[in-house]
Amino acid sequence: MVTTRNRQWRLTERPTGEPTADNFELTDDPIPEPGPKEVLVRTEYLSVDPYMRGRMRDSQSYADPWPVGEPMRARAVGTVVESNHAAFEPGDTVLGNLYWAEYAVVDGTDLETVDTGTAPVSTALHVLGMPGRTAYVGTVDIGEVEPGDTVVVSAAAGAVGSVAGQIARIAGCRVVGITGRDEKADWLTDDLGFDAAINYRTTDDLSAAVADACSRGVDLYFENVGGEVTDAVMDHLVDHSRVAVCGKIALYNAENGDDRLRGPRRLHQRTRTRVEGFIVSDHADRFDHINARLRRWVEEDRLQYRETVTDGIENASDAFLGLFDGTNIGKQLVRIDAD
Amino acid sequence: MVTTRNRQWRLTERPTGEPTADNFELTDDPIPEPGPKEVLVRTEYLSVDPYMRGRMRDSQSYADPWPVGEPMRARAVGTVVESNHAAFEPGDTVLGNLYWAEYAVVDGTDLETVDTGTAPVSTALHVLGMPGRTAYVGTVDIGEVEPGDTVVVSAAAGAVGSVAGQIARIAGCRVVGITGRDEKADWLTDDLGFDAAINYRTTDDLSAAVADACSRGVDLYFENVGGEVTDAVMDHLVDHSRVAVCGKIALYNAENGDDRLRGPRRLHQRTRTRVEGFIVSDHADRFDHINARLRRWVEEDRLQYRETVTDGIENASDAFLGLFDGTNIGKQLVRIDAD
């Protein structure tokens, strides 16, 4: 190896409200040595995702909080450099829970081989990976889409939302996306086949805009944002509608007492609406089935995707912070070219 | 018949906010004559219920709004006076959708015979009627109670809540009731077997009180009230918890813009909570099954009930208005002694 140093990002303090660059630190550490059954992986692409804001918070959740001072975790695709595990050899492309780092040592049993045949390896981090599975579970398993439904997706140009909307289209639904930039709205309608897209930042009366785009009301709301966008959509839920709660990025930086946490108390009785939160990892028994469909639709060109790639480990924290400004279109990735 | 007059209440104007006596008028009309297949019924007990506030509102819902100027509808138990329908004869005790009135003419096909054997006929309006069925559907079908669950019921001393909590007890759950008077709290714990009861009006920190009463968190919240009580309970929902939304009496009198409609934006993702509204009439295919269980439990003394009876048709509007102050314990009825 040319270098013996491993640059990696550590959480230096827990953010209060909006995270800032001061909450993270790029350190320079020795490249770790793989022990028995372990594999040394050089990161190629790492994924930064909104859910990571939750891991930075010291509170009970479905996963443990990240320890302060330690390197931060990320799903990543990389190349095997050294392997003490029989299933992997140098040069293999693998996927796993690595770090915001140039290198990582991982137990081989926690790694998967990435199919390098049909699509770029980075797609294992979005349309063919967790975001794609999340979109499928939320739309089909939790959302129970039915042909003829009107489906509204928020954060619709994001990694999950863009796939969710396309799956709903494949399922025979009218699909309306809500997003925060005209360029994203155009991508949704012109390239992804959404029936309509609403830019919530430039719309005066969001509730009226939703009504306009959904003349028969909303059967399924795929919820990624929370806050005022959600209030506007929930005005238009019809009888026996569903809300699949995947995330609430507009609220992730709110602390107790923050006004963003307050809004209409929407617990629908009249419309018999079912609102249900989900975590994709609960549905692991469906992943083989879901992966096969996602891959087929990508091969058939029925599922489009887009990546926003930030280059260099040193820019990983900026890429993460940008998620909260909506700077990314499609999946936000960090490409790492360690040498 | 001794009298030829039929006193009945009409909706004179749609309430704005809290309803008042001015919204209603007691009129004196001739007793109607039954046509072919129709039955003349003299009301014995009529039911006033929180859902009626919704019928007074001119907005789309699962049932049409009541027309202004017309007699108001009510589920009632009465005695057949005259019958042009083969299934009924004078003296029969029947149940149906009648009016806030001393007499009503109804199509015989819309009437049911009331079993006068095992329990007072008035129970057809609560524990053995719609409120009992609503409690069962919300707890079992929507709430999916599991033995060992902790179940919180709001408006717990009401017609629905008191039965819901007792069904959850029978199903092997720990049951906590929230109510607004010490006398009601005592009834829940001393007579109905609730494990704990909280008086929300005399509790400073309701969220802490719920935490205290539910040391393993809340698996099912049977929602009858909305507002701050609901916010406090929802803080303590555990993984895979459910909220069965039966009603929201604290919000029924709120108009658009009213602060009561605003509060924490609770759409849970982390806990995978399912929040689901329901209308009991959607579950009519289950009523025979449910009725048989409710009747058995009443006969076995496992299901207790209580009635708050207001005498005289002239006091029906006060009985209705009292629902919003929580003056009733158990089922609020109006007993009518027309002569």
Side-chain angles (χ1 to χ4, degrees):
Chain A
M1 282 173 285
V2 174
T3 174
T4 58
R5 306 308 293 177
N6 177 30
R7 288 183 295 167
Q8 53 188 353
W9 285 95
R10 291 166 187 271
L11 182 66
T12 52
E13 58 183 6
R14 302 201 179 281
T16 304
E18 197 86 28
T20 69
D22 292 341
N23 305 135
F24 316 116
E25 180 188 23
L26 188 65
T27 61
D28 206 4
D29 301 293
I31 293 176
E33 300 271 341
K37 301 218 165 164
E38 287 186 335
V39 177
L40 173 65
V41 180
R42 190 179 66 230
T43 312
E44 278 184 65
Y45 288 96
L46 71 82
S47 176
V48 289
D49 299 276
Y51 78 81
M52 292 171 163
R53 178 63 181 85
R55 297 293 83 69
M56 296 172 188
R57 202 182 281 280
D58 188 18
S59 65
Q60 203 200 342
S61 185
Y62 58 91
D64 289 331
W66 287 343
V68 170
E70 293 296 308
M72 296 183 290
R73 311 298 307 239
R75 264 185 101 70
V77 165
T79 308
V80 173
V81 177
E82 230 183 295
S83 175
N84 295 329
H85 191 284
F88 301 99
E89 55 184 49
D92 283 355
T93 300
V94 292
L95 170 74
N97 288 314
L98 312 185
Y99 294 92
W100 296 32
E102 293 175 300
Y103 292 90
V105 157
V106 200
D107 189 318
T109 55
D110 297 332
L111 287 174
E112 296 170 50
T113 303
V114 174
D115 179 337
T116 54
T118 52
V121 297
S122 57
T123 57
L125 294 173
H126 50 95
V127 62
L128 300 181
M130 279 302 169
R133 294 168 200 167
T134 302
Y136 194 103
V137 166
T139 310
V140 176
D141 295 67
I142 306 294
E144 296 181 348
V145 275
E146 212 177 290
D149 277 355
T150 298
V151 177
V152 174
V153 182
S154 55
V160 173
S162 59
V163 179
Q166 291 180 88
I167 292 172
R169 282 284 299 160
I170 293 170
C173 302
R174 173 176 174 80
V175 179
V176 176
I178 303 182
T179 184
R181 264 165 49 203
D182 287 342
E183 183 190 355
K184 295 180 179 180
D186 291 346
W187 178 54
L188 297 177
T189 51
D190 299 352
D191 296 337
L192 303 193
F194 280 51
D195 297 282
I198 299 169
N199 180 343
Y200 73 90
R201 295 194 209 235
T202 58
T203 301
D204 282 341
D205 185 341
L206 190 54
S207 179
V210 172
D212 216 48
C214 307
S215 58
R216 287 184 303 274
V218 177
D219 297 284
L220 169 61
Y221 174 44
F222 194 107
E223 158 71 308
N224 287 312
V225 301
E228 288 175 12
V229 168
T230 299
D231 294 345
V233 177
M234 293 191 77
D235 286 340
H236 305 290
L237 293 170
V238 300
D239 282 2
H240 304 290
S241 48
R242 291 85 60 201
V243 178
V245 184
C246 174
K248 292 179 288 183
I249 193 171
L251 308 181
Y252 285 173
N253 295 324
E255 303 291 336
N256 285 337
D258 189 319
D259 265 355
R260 279 177 290 186
L261 296 175
R262 302 190 74 74
R265 288 180 163 115
R266 302 281 189 214
L267 295 178
H268 284 264
Q269 182 226 358
R270 177 175 56 77
T271 56
R272 299 81 146 171
T273 296
R274 174 170 55 82
V275 179
E276 189 163 348
F278 70 100
I279 307 283
V280 67
S281 52
D282 292 345
H283 301 265
D285 59 330
R286 292 264 290 160
F287 285 175
D288 284 346
H289 170 82
I290 293 171
N291 291 354
R293 306 227 155 161
L294 293 171
R295 185 172 290 278
R296 193 213 309 163
W297 290 333
V298 167
E299 286 169 4
E300 292 171 354
D301 237 7
R302 301 178 73 187
L303 212 47
Q304 312 291 323
Y305 58 87
R306 195 154 153 183
E307 300 174 341
T308 300
V309 178
T310 298
D311 271 301
I313 184 69
E314 65 278 12
N315 296 315
S317 67
D318 284 346
F320 171 70
L321 296 174
L323 294 170
F324 297 96
D325 299 324
T327 48
N328 58 304
I329 301 189
K331 177 62 190 151
Q332 175 68 57
L333 296 171
V334 181
R335 182 165 48 200
I336 297 180
D337 188 18
D339 59 5
Chain B
M1 282 174 286
V2 175
T3 174
T4 58
R5 306 306 293 177
N6 177 30
R7 288 183 296 167
Q8 54 187 353
W9 285 94
R10 292 165 187 271
L11 182 67
T12 53
E13 58 183 6
R14 302 200 179 282
T16 304
E18 198 85 27
T20 70
D22 292 341
N23 305 135
F24 317 115
E25 180 188 25
L26 187 65
T27 61
D28 206 5
D29 302 293
I31 293 177
E33 299 271 340
K37 301 215 167 170
E38 288 185 336
V39 176
L40 174 64
V41 181
R42 190 180 64 231
T43 312
E44 279 185 64
Y45 288 96
L46 72 82
S47 176
V48 289
D49 299 275
Y51 78 81
M52 293 171 164
R53 179 62 181 86
R55 298 293 82 69
M56 297 173 187
R57 201 181 281 280
D58 189 16
S59 65
Q60 202 200 343
S61 187
Y62 57 92
D64 289 331
W66 287 343
V68 171
E70 295 294 308
M72 296 183 291
R73 311 298 306 239
R75 266 185 101 70
V77 166
T79 307
V80 173
V81 177
E82 229 184 296
S83 174
N84 295 329
H85 192 284
F88 301 98
E89 54 184 50
D92 284 355
T93 300
V94 291
L95 170 74
N97 289 314
L98 312 185
Y99 295 92
W100 296 32
E102 292 175 302
Y103 292 91
V105 157
V106 199
D107 189 320
T109 55
D110 297 332
L111 287 174
E112 296 171 50
T113 303
V114 174
D115 178 338
T116 54
T118 52
V121 298
S122 58
T123 56
L125 295 173
H126 50 96
V127 63
L128 300 181
M130 278 303 169
R133 294 168 200 167
T134 303
Y136 194 103
V137 166
T139 311
V140 177
D141 296 67
I142 306 293
E144 296 181 346
V145 274
E146 214 179 289
D149 277 354
T150 297
V151 177
V152 174
V153 182
S154 55
V160 174
S162 60
V163 180
Q166 291 180 87
I167 291 172
R169 281 285 298 161
I170 292 169
C173 303
R174 173 176 175 81
V175 180
V176 176
I178 302 182
T179 184
R181 264 166 48 204
D182 286 342
E183 184 190 353
K184 294 180 180 180
D186 291 345
W187 179 54
L188 297 177
T189 51
D190 299 351
D191 295 337
L192 302 194
F194 280 50
D195 296 282
I198 299 168
N199 180 343
Y200 73 89
R201 294 194 210 235
T202 58
T203 301
D204 282 340
D205 185 342
L206 190 53
S207 180
V210 173
D212 216 47
C214 306
S215 58
R216 287 184 303 274
V218 177
D219 296 284
L220 169 61
Y221 174 44
F222 194 107
E223 159 71 308
N224 286 314
V225 301
E228 288 175 14
V229 168
T230 299
D231 294 344
V233 178
M234 293 190 76
D235 287 341
H236 305 289
L237 293 169
V238 300
D239 282 2
H240 304 290
S241 48
R242 291 85 60 201
V243 178
V245 184
C246 174
K248 291 178 290 183
I249 193 170
L251 308 182
Y252 286 173
N253 294 325
E255 303 291 335
N256 284 338
D258 189 318
D259 265 355
R260 280 177 288 186
L261 295 175
R262 302 190 74 76
R265 289 181 163 114
R266 302 279 189 216
L267 296 178
H268 285 264
Q269 182 225 359
R270 177 176 57 77
T271 57
R272 298 83 146 171
T273 296
R274 173 171 56 82
V275 179
E276 189 163 349
F278 70 99
I279 307 284
V280 66
S281 52
D282 291 345
H283 302 264
D285 59 331
R286 292 263 289 160
F287 285 175
D288 284 346
H289 169 83
I290 293 171
N291 291 353
R293 304 226 156 162
L294 294 171
R295 185 171 291 277
R296 194 211 310 162
W297 290 332
V298 168
E299 286 168 5
E300 293 172 353
D301 237 10
R302 301 178 73 187
L303 214 45
Q304 312 292 324
Y305 59 86
R306 195 154 154 183
E307 300 175 340
T308 299
V309 178
T310 299
D311 272 302
I313 183 69
E314 65 278 12
N315 297 315
S317 67
D318 284 346
F320 171 70
L321 297 174
L323 294 171
F324 298 96
D325 300 324
T327 49
N328 58 304
I329 301 189
K331 177 63 191 149
Q332 176 67 57
L333 296 170
V334 181
R335 182 165 47 200
I336 297 181
D337 188 18
D339 59 6

